[in-house]
Amino acid sequence: MTIWLLTVLLGLGALLAGFLGALSGLGGGVVIVPLLTLGFGVDIRYAAGASLVSVIATSAAAAGVYLKRGITNVRIGLLLELATTLGAVAGALLASRLPTALIACVFGAVLLVSAYLAVRPPKKSPAAERVDKWAEVLQLNGSYPEAGGARSYRVRAVAPGFALMGVAGMLSGLLGIGSGALKVLAMDQVMGLPFKVSTATSNFMIGVTAAASAGIYLHQGYIDPGLTLPVVLGVLAGSLVGARVFIGSSPRLLRPVFACLVAVLAVQMIVGAFGGRFGHAAL
């Protein structure tokens, strides 16, 4: 395979990853990392480095569209970013000290849990209707536009959501996925945000989280410009298209698509880890 053909194939794969990342709030990393490791045989740490840079591009492209439409909850994004950034730095430092096969297996397990939570019916209980004092103090409640007019929502469980964001940030730095999957699910399932608001706010946040981790990967030599350039360009183009498709889409369709995508990729990563696809440290 020539370098030009490889570049084109990487760009096309990244285009799809960017489209799916913007559409689901995943940030593209959950497609980029398996694509590079399973499809092109790239070391998972270099794949994570390229993925983190592409996540920054996805966030920059998609977030602007969502902000303009009034879907993103900026206050929640800025608050939760404090936890995810600290977690991302810790995860990136940990990545260089763990076997690649173990990282791949953790990646798959995280995605399987994400897929299950995405399709699980939300629990309805009196606690879900309680007023969260932190949401009131920080003015986190909001609304977003729908076809029939603006729809209001109330935020709950701010403290648990903040804690989960620290875990999401650590997984972002460790796996290079932007942690969009866990961010969407934490805001949707735990904090009670509508799925569209969760997805849009996730896209707003993942760029900052990825930037914190990418700096450490760059310092450790895990970002290859020749690998990263076509990935970033492809993801950027795909995310612009995906963000516009997302605006008119239905959450009832997004949830099963979200779940199926991450479940398939999770199985591939776990099978690869146990099958020795990720080097001598196979499980």
Side-chain angles (χ1 to χ4, degrees):
M1 183 183 297
T2 66
I3 187 65
W4 291 108
L5 178 59
L6 177 61
T7 301
V8 170
L9 292 176
L10 285 172
L12 291 175
L15 182 72
L16 175 62
F19 176 80
L20 294 172
L23 193 62
S24 63
L26 299 177
V30 295
V31 179
I32 286 295
V33 174
L35 172 71
L36 295 179
T37 54
L38 299 176
F40 294 92
V42 176
D43 182 278
I44 195 169
R45 294 189 181 95
Y46 287 93
S51 173
L52 286 168
V53 178
S54 74
V55 165
I56 299 172
T58 304
S59 177
V65 177
Y66 302 144
L67 281 169
K68 185 177 180 181
R69 297 298 181 99
I71 302 176
T72 303
N73 190 316
V74 178
R75 284 181 175 272
I76 288 180
L78 293 177
L79 172 67
L80 299 181
E81 198 56 65
L82 295 174
T84 56
T85 300
L86 292 174
V89 172
L93 292 172
L94 186 62
S96 63
R97 294 169 172 79
L98 294 178
T100 56
L102 178 59
I103 296 174
C105 198
V106 172
F107 186 106
V110 167
L111 294 185
L112 281 177
V113 172
S114 300
Y116 165 72
L117 293 177
V119 296
R120 185 185 65 179
K123 296 180 179 179
K124 294 184 178 181
S125 63
E129 303 300 326
R130 293 176 186 167
V131 175
D132 189 289
K133 65 176 183 179
W134 289 110
E136 295 292 330
V137 170
L138 300 174
Q139 301 179 15
L140 301 180
N141 300 318
S143 62
Y144 71 103
E146 282 193 325
R151 176 187 169 188
S152 299
Y153 58 88
R154 302 185 70 85
V155 180
R156 64 175 189 262
V158 174
F162 189 87
L164 284 174
M165 287 299 164
V167 177
M170 180 172 292
L171 291 173
S172 170
L174 178 64
L175 307 176
I177 60 174
S179 67
L182 289 181
K183 287 178 180 177
V184 169
L185 293 167
M187 287 184 280
D188 178 49
Q189 299 282 340
V190 178
M191 300 180 70
L193 274 67
F195 191 71
K196 276 196 172 185
V197 176
S198 300
T199 302
T201 305
S202 170
N203 270 291
F204 174 73
M205 295 171 59
I206 57 178
V208 180
T209 307
S213 305
I216 296 176
Y217 275 78
L218 178 64
H219 177 72
Q220 295 175 339
Y222 289 131
I223 296 182
D224 184 334
L227 176 67
T228 303
L229 180 60
V231 169
V232 170
L233 293 178
V235 166
L236 183 59
S239 64
L240 289 172
V241 177
R244 283 162 175 77
V245 172
F246 170 83
I247 297 298
S249 60
S250 168
R252 292 183 179 180
L253 176 62
L254 290 178
R255 286 179 185 274
V257 170
F258 177 97
C260 290
L261 171 66
V262 297
V264 169
L265 295 175
V267 171
Q268 291 179 337
M269 294 298 288
I270 292 174
V271 170
F274 280 93
R277 287 291 295 270
F278 298 101
H280 300 295
L283 300 176

